[in-house]
Amino acid sequence: QVQLVESGGGLVQAGGSLRLSCAASGIFFSIDAMGWYRQAPGNQRELVATITSGGSTNFADSVKGRFTISRDNAHNTVYLQMNSLKPEDTAVYYCNAAVRMYRADYGRNYWGRGTQVTVSS
């Protein structure tokens, strides 16, 4: 069983910063891409940022230049550094990972339970 556990959410004023962490645990072979998605009330879940095992990154246009994503492959952890936060960044942020259970496996999709980020104006 693979578990993704997020931490680091909270309440911050506009212009502030937060750093989210997500650690994967369990028995598996490797993790391909990891990423962060978010869902605001009444909205669909949307991509925020992803990072491959090799370090290639992808960001939503709305967060480019403000958010950075990084990962520690040795500890199966992904981070999201969020700077210059805006009220519209308020959402539940979910960690995602494509996990291989064995070498020839495909990347199975796993989600964390989410962490709330609230940005006040």
Side-chain angles (χ1 to χ4, degrees), residues 37-48 62 86-94 114-119:
Y37 291 71
R38 67 187 181 187
Q39 187 167 17
N43 290 356
Q44 291 187 331
R45 191 172 297 188
E46 63 178 7
L47 179 146
V48 176
S62 59
K86 304 175 181 180
E88 50 263 44
D89 294 317
T90 296
V92 178
Y93 283 69
Y94 295 92
T115 184
Q116 177 70 45
V117 171
T118 302
V119 184

Side-chain angles (χ1 to χ4, degrees), residues 30-34 51-53 71 73 97-100 105-107:
S30 66
I31 301 177
D32 292 342
M34 301 184 80
I51 184 168
T52 67
S53 57
R71 64 190 281 177
N73 290 331
V99 181
R100 293 178 185 253
D105 197 11
Y106 63 93

Side-chain angles (χ1 to χ4, degrees), residues 59-104:
F59 294 91
D61 288 343
S62 59
V63 307
K64 283 180 180 177
R66 300 188 298 122
F67 291 10
T68 58
I69 187 170
S70 60
R71 64 190 281 177
D72 179 348
N73 290 331
H75 294 93
N76 299 312
T77 301
V78 64
Y79 304 97
L80 184 69
Q81 178 66 43
M82 305 184 292
N83 299 327
S84 302
L85 282 160
K86 304 175 181 180
E88 50 263 44
D89 294 317
T90 296
V92 178
Y93 283 69
Y94 295 92
C95 177
N96 175 266
V99 181
R100 293 178 185 253
M101 305 307 289
Y102 49 90
R103 181 184 295 274

Side-chain angles (χ1 to χ4, degrees), residues 4-35:
L4 301 180
V5 179
E6 302 106 333
S7 61
L11 173 65
V12 64
Q13 289 189 331
S17 298
L18 283 174
R19 189 191 195 210
L20 305 183
S21 301
C22 171
S25 63
I27 299 174
F28 49 86
F29 177 74
S30 66
I31 301 177
D32 292 342
M34 301 184 80

